[in-house]
Amino acid sequence: MSNYMICFSKNGAALGRKILTAAPQENSGSAAPAEACASVSSASSAGWELTECFGTVHESLADWTRRTFQPGNNLLFIGAAGIAVRAIAPYVREKQSDPAVVVMDEKANWCIPILSGHLGGANLLANKLAKMTGAQAAITTATDVRGVWAVDSWAKQEGLTVVNPSGIKEISAGLLQGQTKKLFSEFPISGKLPEGLVFSDAASCDIYIGIHRLTDRKQEPLYLIPAALIAGIGCRKGAQREQLDALFEEVLEQNNVWQQAVQKICSIDLKKEEPGLLLFCAEHGILLETYDAETLRNLDGEFTASAFVSQVTGVDNVCERSAMAGSQNGKILISKMAKNGVTAAFVLDEVKISF
């Protein structure tokens, strides 16, 4: 996720710099392409990039919006709301992928989320920016206005992926009408249940929190998926992306596990430049982490040993050990499976969820 601001006046630029100074120091995770910023008036600090869209030399608003309007990003327009609306209009698609968009006037009177208030986190962002600048956050979503728990906003806050966002409307509408909604979780949840929610079993729940898909339900619940799995992958030299895909998808399907539950792929450092593995990770949008043989050898636990793997890599197991190395406090959920020169195992990491 990256944070981008654009302003259209000197007053707006001053407010933007105030936000840069006040924001917590953090790494945004990715930087804008250097060639896109080379000729614009921009500053980057605390995970934000500020672009001044005025003066004789600057990046155009159209180019800036095209560059920054990406899933997971936060966009702040310092200026008129109409400018922001017209700029983003060609790119708005669906709530599960649209970035958070907030507008603030140059005197920091109002801070208004105009797109992706819940799933994208624009409401949370507007409240944070309001506290930083003294502005008033103008939140317009019905659940927030009426003090009703918003499932999509909470999912964003807890790092849960909404697999079927079309179900959000039914949950929110029911709670707004005073209905009770049933929730089931594979993992412990701390804190007090919001008003309108009760715990139930998986068979009758309206909201399902976990890594598994249900196969015996006529009507699907709203699925909220934590990134709880680390996938360990081993492969022979020259393994193709299709070979990796075939085993990966087969293991997930056999175990009724959502791909969205996989937070990262881990392997031995001998494979960090393996073309097929890199392509596989890139196409699935999953981070690759690798570990040296000594680190993997020194892990405690019971692993499926292979003399051949040990001879080639210096460690008796790659997939299970690397998945375990990538976890904080995990346990093997799916042991080593092999097919066409590829091995895979999945470790379930610790999950913390709270209200």
Side-chain angles (χ1 to χ4, degrees), residues 209-222:
I209 301 171
I211 64 172
H212 295 97
R213 58 164 56 89
L214 302 177
T215 59
D216 54 358
R217 288 275 302 255
K218 290 184 178 180
Q219 183 174 353
E220 295 273 40
L222 179 66

Side-chain angles (χ1 to χ4, degrees), residues 105-283:
D105 66 277
E106 64 180 32
K107 289 190 174 182
N109 292 314
W110 301 101
C111 191
I112 312 166
I114 63 170
L115 186 70
S116 207
H118 286 161
L119 274 184
N123 287 1
L124 293 173
L125 178 62
N127 281 319
K128 289 179 181 178
L129 290 169
K131 289 179 181 178
M132 289 163 53
T133 61
Q136 173 66 51
I139 309 298
T140 59
T141 42
T143 50
D144 297 272
V145 171
R146 292 172 56 179
V148 173
W149 179 73
V151 62
D152 41 357
S153 184
W154 178 76
K156 172 74 175 180
Q157 175 184 306
E158 295 300 306
L160 306 173
T161 298
V162 183
V163 171
N164 51 337
S166 59
I168 293 171
K169 183 177 181 181
E170 180 181 345
I171 300 297
S172 295
L175 292 173
L176 285 167
Q177 294 168 16
Q179 298 175 8
T180 297
K181 293 297 181 181
K182 299 177 182 179
L183 179 147
F184 172 82
S185 177
E186 295 180 19
F187 307 100
I189 303 180
S190 61
K192 183 181 178 181
L193 271 177
E195 185 176 351
L197 291 186
V198 296
F199 285 117
S200 75
D201 56 21
S204 62
C205 70
D206 302 299
I207 304 169
Y208 186 98
I209 301 171
I211 64 172
H212 295 97
R213 58 164 56 89
L214 302 177
T215 59
D216 54 358
R217 288 275 302 255
K218 290 184 178 180
Q219 183 174 353
E220 295 273 40
L222 179 66
Y223 284 106
L224 308 182
I225 314 300
L229 292 180
I230 294 92
I233 298 290
C235 62
R236 293 185 178 180
K237 186 176 181 180
Q240 299 298 302
R241 188 263 303 166
E242 291 81 4
Q243 294 170 257
L244 295 157
D245 263 332
L247 180 60
F248 185 70
E249 293 173 6
E250 181 179 316
V251 174
L252 293 178
E253 185 175 351
Q254 286 182 0
N255 292 274
N256 296 314
V257 169
W258 292 102
Q259 181 186 312
Q260 289 85 344
V262 180
Q263 61 169 276
K264 58 185 173 182
I265 303 289
C266 295
S267 191
I268 192 168
D269 60 1
L270 291 173
K271 300 299 177 183
K272 65 182 178 182
E273 301 296 338
E274 189 69 44
L277 180 58
L278 293 175
L279 182 58
F280 167 79
C281 292
E283 292 193 350

